[in-house]
Amino acid sequence: MAASPRRCALSASSLKACRTMPEARLAASGSVRIIGRMSGWIIVSAVLVGLAAALFLLNLSRQVPPAGWPVLLAGAGDLRAIMARDGLAPRFCAGLLGGGALGLASVVLQQVLRNPLAEPGTLGIFAGAKCAIAASIIWAPGLLALGWDLPALAGGIGVAAIVLLLSARSDFAPTTVTLIGLIASLAFGALGTMLVLTHFDALSDLYIWEAGSLIQNGWGTVLALALKLGLVSLAILLLMRPLSAMQIEGAEQLGVRTSLVRGATILAAVGLSALVASTVGLISFLGLASAAIARGAGARRLPARLVAAPLIAAGLLALTDQALLALAGGIEIPAGITVMLLSVPLLLWMLQRAPAGTSALAMAAEPMRLQLGTASAFIGLGAALVVSFALAATFGPGPDGWQFAQGVLFAELSIWRLPRITAACCAGAMLAMAGSLLQRLTRNEMASPELLGISSGTALMLLVATLFLPGLDRYGTAALSCLACLAILACVLWLGRRSAFAPDHLLLIGAGLGALLASLLSILLVIGDPRILRVIGWLSGSTYSVDAAEARAIALATASALLLPLPLLRWIGLMQLGEPVGRSLGVPIAGARLAVVLVVAVLTGVATLFVGPLSFVGLMAPHLARLLGIRTALAEIYGSALVGAVLMILADWAGRTIAFPWQIPAGLIATGLGGAYFIVASWKR
């Protein structure tokens, strides 16, 4: 029986539908995925901003009931209404503006540098802004007539230029840029701390500002900030098209002037960061967190990230600030500190996911050596140690000017000078030995106890002992500090296992842990706990409180520490050949590494207990020893100890004399010199 025309038509239409059904399903699933990616960051942004707005309304209702809100708009009311209108409301807007600007700056920096770890805090922009503002307050207050914007911008641009100049030779490799930026932050942060210690009365307001406070006393500052940020953001939006084109190979052949676009974009991003820093203070890692959340929520393309990251950052900062207002019970905790506490773990997580590349720093070539020979180098170092010790003990400024102390005057001064000189000498020797052991263990000439976060463990343990174990003596604290060093280093190695313990990743993880410690200390400083004053002085690398008994103790500890590397020399030498070769020659790799780590933890814990964590002696001393031609493991370890002792003695002497009668902690002097040395070494490579 022949099929009817209607049935044939239905069959044809059904066949066509069946053929097109997979394509339709594919298109539908693709549309769902696109909508999901688009709506993911929109939902996250809306939730964060919505929660921040809800908390703002809650805090507002606590001060002024909703029935009285029309009075706020009318410009009248009692004291609580004035505080709500001119304090709480502009504070909420400042959080939105500041967070949005930092999120936008981070996206732009990550795009132009092709670096997922780039943000104002990791590039040293905030540290430069702090130093410039402090210097302007002290020596050029006239520059602040129109606000802190100009010096903050100049300082941020200056440090960012240094970081990018040193990173250019590695083609702006992500870990290289971030590592140099973090070291620049430490060096310029030490310089800023020196200025604060020597001009405390003039710079006391910088503590609150440095913590990132959103406190406002009216709408003038917020409106001015909104206008400035709007102009800079408009310039960035005009550069969006060439920024997107820069990611294409051969962009210059298409007419894109990449160098000009890169320079203009970085300048705009630094401008955004400096404007926020000058208004609400230093808020590090917020931009990094917002950009990472935006990418994770589906904002893959540049236009989407330029919208998503600022919204997420604005919501995070405003939400954190309003939550602190609601929960702190009247205690003012700056939001910038809390944001850093939440953001640094994200940095550590990103480092575990980032590919382990070979940075220019990790595989830097050996520097030129003076080739003095081992014997000549040790003779020269021994003479330098004697001369520096004698200089520090006898020569210095006094009421009658610079003079050499002799006779009765020397006897009177030696009671104060000799213990701290001995402590500086011994601590420098132990830190240098620890640095040499770490550099040989990791086969990375940029490794040091400070950069691996070991000193941060000592600082944290001292803080815990000061607050919760007030009856613990210094020797008990030293034992706990050694355990803390070991725990921190184990944490660093555990976090770095995903990258096969890549040296650059380990250094960045250690720097991130140091930033966490700084956040905890800043919270206690802002709260005003009087017990923290002792910790703050110690963290600056001070030898002020060392007495004769403690000097004898650290001298005895150093004499014992000189014997610790001897049983490890064979293992250290064989591990330099690589793990397979060392294992084939009978070296227990795991046990050998653990033994070296234990020695490093003990050396660093005891030394840091006396001079604080702010010292780059562990980085510089092995370099200088190799510069003198000392090459073998045993000679380098003890040569580094001599170099470290001389450096710390000179740093302590300089801290006592260059700003007499005020004193600058030796750790700050060593940190400034270490940062400068790191920059010079990076430039030579």
Coordinates of all heavy atoms in Angstrom, one line a residue, residues 457-532:
G457 N 58.4 32.4 61.8 CA 58.0 31.5 62.8 C 58.5 31.9 64.2 O 57.8 31.8 65.2
T458 N 59.8 32.4 64.2 CA 60.4 32.9 65.5 C 59.6 34.1 66.0 O 59.3 34.2 67.2 CB 61.8 33.2 65.3 OG1 62.5 32.1 64.7 CG2 62.5 33.6 66.6
A459 N 59.3 35.0 65.1 CA 58.5 36.2 65.5 C 57.2 35.9 66.0 O 56.7 36.4 67.1 CB 58.4 37.2 64.3
L460 N 56.5 34.9 65.4 CA 55.1 34.5 65.8 C 55.2 33.9 67.2 O 54.4 34.1 68.1 CB 54.5 33.6 64.8 CG 53.1 33.2 65.1 CD1 52.2 34.4 65.2 CD2 52.6 32.3 64.0
M461 N 56.2 33.0 67.4 CA 56.4 32.4 68.7 C 56.7 33.3 69.8 O 56.2 33.2 70.9 CB 57.5 31.3 68.6 CG 57.6 30.5 69.9 SD 56.0 29.7 70.5 CE 55.7 28.6 69.1
L462 N 57.5 34.3 69.5 CA 57.8 35.4 70.5 C 56.5 36.1 70.9 O 56.3 36.5 72.0 CB 58.9 36.3 70.0 CG 59.2 37.4 71.0 CD1 59.8 36.9 72.3 CD2 60.2 38.4 70.4
L463 N 55.7 36.4 69.9 CA 54.4 37.1 70.1 C 53.5 36.3 71.0 O 52.9 36.8 72.0 CB 53.8 37.4 68.8 CG 52.4 38.1 68.8 CD1 52.5 39.5 69.4 CD2 51.8 38.2 67.4
V464 N 53.4 35.0 70.7 CA 52.6 34.1 71.5 C 53.1 34.0 73.0 O 52.4 34.1 74.0 CB 52.5 32.7 70.9 CG1 51.8 31.7 71.8 CG2 51.8 32.8 69.6
A465 N 54.4 33.9 73.1 CA 55.0 33.8 74.4 C 54.8 35.1 75.2 O 54.6 35.1 76.4 CB 56.5 33.5 74.3
T466 N 54.9 36.3 74.5 CA 54.7 37.6 75.2 C 53.3 37.7 75.7 O 53.0 38.2 76.8 CB 55.1 38.7 74.3 OG1 56.4 38.6 73.9 CG2 54.9 40.1 74.9
L467 N 52.3 37.3 74.9 CA 50.9 37.5 75.3 C 50.3 36.5 76.2 O 49.5 36.8 77.0 CB 50.1 37.6 74.0 CG 50.4 38.8 73.0 CD1 49.5 38.8 71.8 CD2 50.3 40.1 73.7
F468 N 50.7 35.2 76.0 CA 50.1 34.1 76.7 C 51.0 33.4 77.7 O 50.5 32.6 78.5 CB 49.5 33.1 75.7 CG 48.6 33.7 74.7 CD1 48.9 34.0 73.4 CD2 47.3 34.1 75.1 CE1 48.0 34.5 72.5 CE2 46.4 34.7 74.2 CZ 46.8 34.9 72.9
L469 N 52.3 33.6 77.6 CA 53.3 32.9 78.5 C 54.2 33.9 79.1 O 55.4 33.9 78.8 CB 54.1 31.8 77.7 CG 53.2 30.7 77.1 CD1 54.1 29.8 76.2 CD2 52.5 29.9 78.1
P470 N 53.7 34.9 79.8 CA 54.5 36.0 80.3 C 55.6 35.5 81.3 O 56.6 36.2 81.4 CB 53.5 36.9 81.0 CG 52.4 36.0 81.4 CD 52.3 35.0 80.3
G471 N 55.5 34.4 81.9 CA 56.5 34.0 82.9 C 57.6 33.2 82.2 O 58.6 32.8 82.9
L472 N 57.6 33.0 80.9 CA 58.6 32.2 80.3 C 59.9 33.0 80.1 O 59.8 34.1 79.6 CB 58.1 31.7 78.9 CG 58.9 30.6 78.2 CD1 58.8 29.3 79.0 CD2 58.4 30.4 76.8
D473 N 61.1 32.4 80.5 CA 62.3 33.2 80.3 C 62.8 33.1 78.9 O 62.2 32.5 78.0 CB 63.4 32.6 81.3 CG 63.7 31.1 81.1 OD1 63.2 30.6 80.0 OD2 64.3 30.5 81.9
R474 N 63.9 33.7 78.7 CA 64.4 33.8 77.3 C 64.9 32.5 76.7 O 64.8 32.3 75.5 CB 65.6 34.9 77.2 CG 65.9 35.3 75.9 CD 66.4 36.8 75.9 NE 66.5 37.3 74.6 CZ 66.7 38.6 74.3 NH1 66.8 39.5 75.3 NH2 66.7 39.1 73.1
Y475 N 65.4 31.6 77.6 CA 65.9 30.4 77.1 C 64.7 29.4 76.7 O 64.8 28.7 75.7 CB 66.8 29.7 78.2 CG 67.9 30.6 78.6 CD1 67.9 31.3 79.8 CD2 69.0 30.8 77.8 CE1 69.0 32.1 80.2 CE2 70.1 31.6 78.1 CZ 70.0 32.3 79.3 OH 71.1 33.1 79.7
G476 N 63.7 29.5 77.5 CA 62.5 28.7 77.1 C 61.9 29.3 75.8 O 61.4 28.5 75.0
T477 N 61.9 30.6 75.7 CA 61.4 31.2 74.4 C 62.3 30.7 73.3 O 61.8 30.5 72.2 CB 61.3 32.7 74.5 OG1 60.6 33.1 75.7 CG2 60.7 33.3 73.3
A478 N 63.6 30.6 73.5 CA 64.5 30.2 72.4 C 64.1 28.8 72.0 O 64.1 28.5 70.8 CB 65.9 30.3 72.9
A479 N 63.9 27.9 72.9 CA 63.5 26.5 72.5 C 62.2 26.5 71.7 O 62.1 25.8 70.7 CB 63.4 25.7 73.8
L480 N 61.2 27.3 72.2 CA 60.0 27.3 71.4 C 60.2 27.9 70.0 O 59.5 27.5 69.1 CB 58.9 28.1 72.2 CG 58.4 27.5 73.5 CD1 57.4 28.4 74.2 CD2 57.7 26.1 73.2
S481 N 61.1 28.9 69.9 CA 61.3 29.5 68.7 C 61.9 28.6 67.7 O 61.6 28.6 66.5 CB 62.2 30.8 68.9 OG 61.6 31.7 69.7
C482 N 62.8 27.7 68.1 CA 63.4 26.7 67.3 C 62.3 25.8 66.7 O 62.4 25.4 65.5 CB 64.5 25.9 68.0 SG 66.0 26.9 68.4
L483 N 61.4 25.3 67.6 CA 60.3 24.5 67.1 C 59.5 25.2 66.1 O 59.0 24.6 65.1 CB 59.5 24.0 68.3 CG 60.2 23.1 69.3 CD1 59.3 22.8 70.5 CD2 60.7 21.8 68.6
A484 N 59.2 26.5 66.3 CA 58.4 27.3 65.4 C 59.1 27.4 64.0 O 58.5 27.4 63.0 CB 58.1 28.7 66.0
C485 N 60.4 27.6 64.1 CA 61.2 27.7 62.8 C 61.0 26.4 62.0 O 60.8 26.4 60.8 CB 62.7 27.9 63.1 SG 63.1 29.6 63.6
L486 N 61.1 25.3 62.7 CA 61.0 24.0 62.0 C 59.6 23.8 61.5 O 59.4 23.3 60.3 CB 61.3 22.8 63.0 CG 61.2 21.4 62.4 CD1 62.2 21.2 61.3 CD2 61.5 20.4 63.5
A487 N 58.6 24.2 62.2 CA 57.2 24.1 61.8 C 56.9 25.0 60.5 O 56.3 24.5 59.6 CB 56.2 24.5 62.9
I488 N 57.4 26.2 60.5 CA 57.2 27.1 59.4 C 57.9 26.6 58.2 O 57.3 26.6 57.1 CB 57.8 28.5 59.7 CG1 56.8 29.2 60.8 CG2 57.8 29.4 58.5 CD1 55.5 29.5 60.2
L489 N 59.2 26.1 58.3 CA 59.8 25.6 57.1 C 59.2 24.3 56.6 O 59.0 24.1 55.4 CB 61.3 25.3 57.5 CG 62.2 24.8 56.3 CD1 62.2 25.9 55.3 CD2 63.6 24.6 56.8
A490 N 58.7 23.5 57.5 CA 57.9 22.3 57.1 C 56.6 22.7 56.3 O 56.3 22.1 55.3 CB 57.5 21.4 58.3
C491 N 56.0 23.8 56.8 CA 54.8 24.3 56.1 C 55.2 24.8 54.7 O 54.4 24.6 53.7 CB 54.2 25.4 56.9 SG 52.7 26.1 56.2
V492 N 56.3 25.5 54.6 CA 56.7 26.0 53.3 C 57.0 24.9 52.3 O 56.6 24.9 51.2 CB 58.0 26.9 53.5 CG1 58.6 27.3 52.1 CG2 57.6 28.2 54.2
L493 N 57.7 23.9 52.8 CA 58.0 22.7 51.9 C 56.7 22.0 51.5 O 56.6 21.5 50.4 CB 59.0 21.8 52.7 CG 60.4 22.4 52.9 CD1 61.2 21.4 53.7 CD2 61.1 22.7 51.6
W494 N 55.8 21.9 52.5 CA 54.5 21.2 52.1 C 53.7 21.9 51.1 O 53.2 21.4 50.2 CB 53.7 21.0 53.4 CG 52.4 20.3 53.2 CD1 52.3 18.9 53.0 CD2 51.1 20.8 53.1 NE1 50.9 18.6 52.8 CE2 50.2 19.8 52.8 CE3 50.6 22.1 53.2 CZ2 48.8 20.0 52.7 CZ3 49.3 22.4 53.0 CH2 48.4 21.3 52.8
L495 N 53.7 23.3 51.2 CA 53.0 24.1 50.2 C 53.7 24.1 48.9 O 53.0 24.3 47.9 CB 52.9 25.5 50.7 CG 51.9 25.7 51.9 CD1 52.0 27.2 52.4 CD2 50.5 25.4 51.6
G496 N 55.0 23.9 48.9 CA 55.7 23.9 47.6 C 55.9 22.5 47.0 O 56.5 22.4 45.9
R497 N 55.2 21.5 47.5 CA 55.4 20.2 46.9 C 54.8 20.1 45.6 O 55.3 19.3 44.7 CB 54.8 19.1 47.9 CG 53.3 19.1 47.9 CD 52.8 18.3 49.1 NE 51.3 18.1 49.0 CZ 50.4 19.0 49.3 NH1 50.9 20.2 49.7 NH2 49.2 18.8 49.1
R498 N 53.7 20.8 45.3 CA 53.0 20.7 44.0 C 53.9 21.2 42.9 O 53.8 20.8 41.7 CB 51.7 21.5 44.1 CG 50.7 20.9 45.0 CD 50.0 19.7 44.3 NE 49.3 20.1 43.1 CZ 48.1 20.6 43.0 NH1 47.4 20.7 44.1 NH2 47.5 20.9 41.9
S499 N 54.8 22.1 43.2 CA 55.7 22.7 42.2 C 57.1 22.0 42.2 O 58.0 22.5 41.7 CB 55.9 24.2 42.4 OG 56.5 24.4 43.6
A500 N 57.1 20.8 42.8 CA 58.4 20.0 42.9 C 59.4 20.9 43.7 O 60.6 20.8 43.3 CB 58.9 19.6 41.6
F501 N 59.0 21.7 44.7 CA 59.9 22.5 45.5 C 60.7 23.5 44.6 O 61.9 23.6 44.8 CB 60.9 21.6 46.3 CG 60.1 20.6 47.1 CD1 60.1 19.3 46.8 CD2 59.4 21.0 48.3 CE1 59.5 18.3 47.6 CE2 58.7 20.1 49.0 CZ 58.7 18.7 48.7
A502 N 60.1 24.0 43.6 CA 60.7 25.1 42.8 C 61.2 26.2 43.7 O 60.4 26.7 44.5 CB 59.8 25.6 41.7
P503 N 62.5 26.6 43.6 CA 63.0 27.6 44.5 C 62.3 28.9 44.5 O 62.0 29.5 45.6 CB 64.5 27.8 44.0 CG 64.8 26.5 43.3 CD 63.5 26.1 42.7
D504 N 61.8 29.4 43.3 CA 61.2 30.7 43.3 C 59.8 30.6 44.0 O 59.4 31.5 44.7 CB 61.0 31.2 41.9 CG 60.5 30.1 40.9 OD1 60.2 29.0 41.4 OD2 60.5 30.3 39.7
H505 N 59.1 29.5 43.9 CA 57.8 29.3 44.6 C 58.1 29.2 46.1 O 57.3 29.8 46.9 CB 57.2 28.0 44.1 CG 56.5 28.2 42.8 ND1 55.6 27.3 42.3 CD2 56.6 29.1 41.8 CE1 55.2 27.7 41.1 NE2 55.8 28.8 40.8
L506 N 59.1 28.6 46.5 CA 59.4 28.5 48.0 C 59.6 29.9 48.5 O 59.2 30.2 49.6 CB 60.6 27.6 48.2 CG 60.4 26.1 47.9 CD1 61.7 25.3 48.2 CD2 59.2 25.5 48.7
L507 N 60.4 30.7 47.8 CA 60.7 32.1 48.3 C 59.4 32.9 48.4 O 59.2 33.6 49.3 CB 61.7 32.7 47.4 CG 63.0 32.1 47.2 CD1 63.9 32.8 46.3 CD2 63.7 32.0 48.6
L508 N 58.5 32.8 47.4 CA 57.3 33.5 47.4 C 56.3 33.0 48.5 O 55.7 33.8 49.2 CB 56.5 33.4 46.1 CG 57.2 34.1 44.9 CD1 56.5 33.8 43.6 CD2 57.2 35.6 45.1
I509 N 56.3 31.8 48.8 CA 55.5 31.2 49.9 C 56.0 31.8 51.2 O 55.2 32.2 52.1 CB 55.5 29.7 49.9 CG1 54.7 29.2 48.6 CG2 54.9 29.1 51.1 CD1 54.9 27.7 48.4
G510 N 57.3 31.8 51.4 CA 57.9 32.3 52.6 C 57.5 33.8 52.8 O 57.2 34.2 53.9
A511 N 57.6 34.5 51.7 CA 57.3 36.0 51.8 C 55.8 36.2 52.1 O 55.5 37.1 52.9 CB 57.6 36.6 50.5
G512 N 55.0 35.3 51.6 CA 53.5 35.4 51.9 C 53.3 35.1 53.4 O 52.5 35.8 54.0
L513 N 54.0 34.1 54.0 CA 53.8 33.9 55.4 C 54.3 35.1 56.2 O 53.7 35.4 57.3 CB 54.6 32.6 55.8 CG 54.0 31.3 55.2 CD1 55.0 30.1 55.6 CD2 52.6 31.0 55.7
G514 N 55.4 35.7 55.8 CA 55.8 36.9 56.4 C 54.8 38.0 56.4 O 54.6 38.8 57.4
A515 N 54.1 38.1 55.3 CA 53.0 39.1 55.2 C 51.9 38.8 56.2 O 51.3 39.7 56.8 CB 52.5 39.2 53.8
L516 N 51.6 37.5 56.4 CA 50.5 37.2 57.4 C 50.9 37.6 58.8 O 50.1 38.1 59.5 CB 50.3 35.7 57.3 CG 49.3 35.1 56.3 CD1 49.3 33.6 56.3 CD2 48.0 35.7 56.5
L517 N 52.2 37.4 59.1 CA 52.7 37.8 60.4 C 52.6 39.3 60.6 O 52.2 39.8 61.6 CB 54.1 37.3 60.6 CG 54.8 37.9 61.9 CD1 54.2 37.3 63.1 CD2 56.3 37.6 61.8
A518 N 53.0 40.0 59.5 CA 52.9 41.5 59.6 C 51.4 41.9 59.9 O 51.2 42.9 60.6 CB 53.4 42.1 58.3
S519 N 50.5 41.2 59.3 CA 49.1 41.6 59.5 C 48.6 41.4 60.9 O 48.0 42.2 61.5 CB 48.2 40.8 58.6 OG 48.5 41.0 57.2
L520 N 49.1 40.3 61.5 CA 48.7 40.0 62.9 C 49.3 41.0 63.8 O 48.7 41.5 64.8 CB 49.2 38.6 63.3 CG 48.6 37.4 62.6 CD1 49.3 36.1 62.9 CD2 47.1 37.3 62.9
L521 N 50.6 41.4 63.6 CA 51.2 42.4 64.4 C 50.5 43.8 64.3 O 50.4 44.5 65.2 CB 52.7 42.5 64.1 CG 53.5 41.3 64.5 CD1 54.9 41.4 64.0 CD2 53.5 41.0 66.0
S522 N 50.1 44.1 63.1 CA 49.5 45.4 62.8 C 48.1 45.4 63.6 O 47.8 46.5 64.1 CB 49.2 45.6 61.3 OG 50.5 45.6 60.6
I523 N 47.4 44.3 63.6 CA 46.1 44.3 64.4 C 46.4 44.6 65.9 O 45.7 45.5 66.5 CB 45.4 43.0 64.2 CG1 44.9 42.8 62.8 CG2 44.3 42.8 65.2 CD1 44.3 41.4 62.5
L524 N 47.4 44.0 66.4 CA 47.7 44.2 67.8 C 48.2 45.6 68.1 O 47.9 46.3 69.1 CB 48.7 43.2 68.3 CG 48.3 41.8 68.3 CD1 49.4 40.8 68.7 CD2 47.1 41.6 69.3
L525 N 49.0 46.2 67.1 CA 49.4 47.5 67.3 C 48.3 48.5 67.2 O 48.3 49.5 68.0 CB 50.4 47.8 66.1 CG 51.1 49.2 66.1 CD1 51.9 49.4 67.4 CD2 51.9 49.5 64.9
V526 N 47.3 48.3 66.3 CA 46.2 49.2 66.3 C 45.3 49.1 67.5 O 44.8 50.1 68.0 CB 45.4 49.0 65.0 CG1 44.1 49.7 65.0 CG2 46.2 49.3 63.8
I527 N 45.2 47.9 68.0 CA 44.4 47.7 69.2 C 45.0 48.4 70.4 O 44.3 49.0 71.3 CB 44.2 46.2 69.5 CG1 43.3 45.6 68.5 CG2 43.6 46.0 70.9 CD1 43.1 44.1 68.6
G528 N 46.3 48.5 70.4 CA 47.0 49.2 71.5 C 47.4 48.4 72.7 O 47.6 49.0 73.8
D529 N 47.6 47.1 72.6 CA 48.0 46.3 73.7 C 49.4 46.7 74.1 O 50.4 46.7 73.3 CB 48.0 44.8 73.3 CG 48.2 43.9 74.5 OD1 48.9 44.3 75.4 OD2 47.6 42.8 74.4
P530 N 49.6 47.2 75.3 CA 51.0 47.7 75.7 C 52.1 46.7 75.6 O 53.2 47.0 75.5 CB 50.8 48.2 77.1 CG 49.6 47.5 77.6 CD 48.7 47.3 76.4
R531 N 51.7 45.4 75.7 CA 52.7 44.3 75.7 C 53.4 44.2 74.3 O 54.4 43.6 74.2 CB 52.1 43.0 76.1 CG 51.6 43.0 77.6 CD 50.9 41.7 77.9 NE 49.6 41.6 77.1 CZ 48.8 40.6 77.2 NH1 49.1 39.5 78.0 NH2 47.7 40.6 76.5
I532 N 52.7 44.7 73.3 CA 53.2 44.6 71.9 C 54.4 45.5 71.7 O 55.2 45.3 70.7 CB 52.1 44.9 70.9 CG1 52.4 44.3 69.5 CG2 51.9 46.4 70.7 CD1 52.5 42.8 69.6

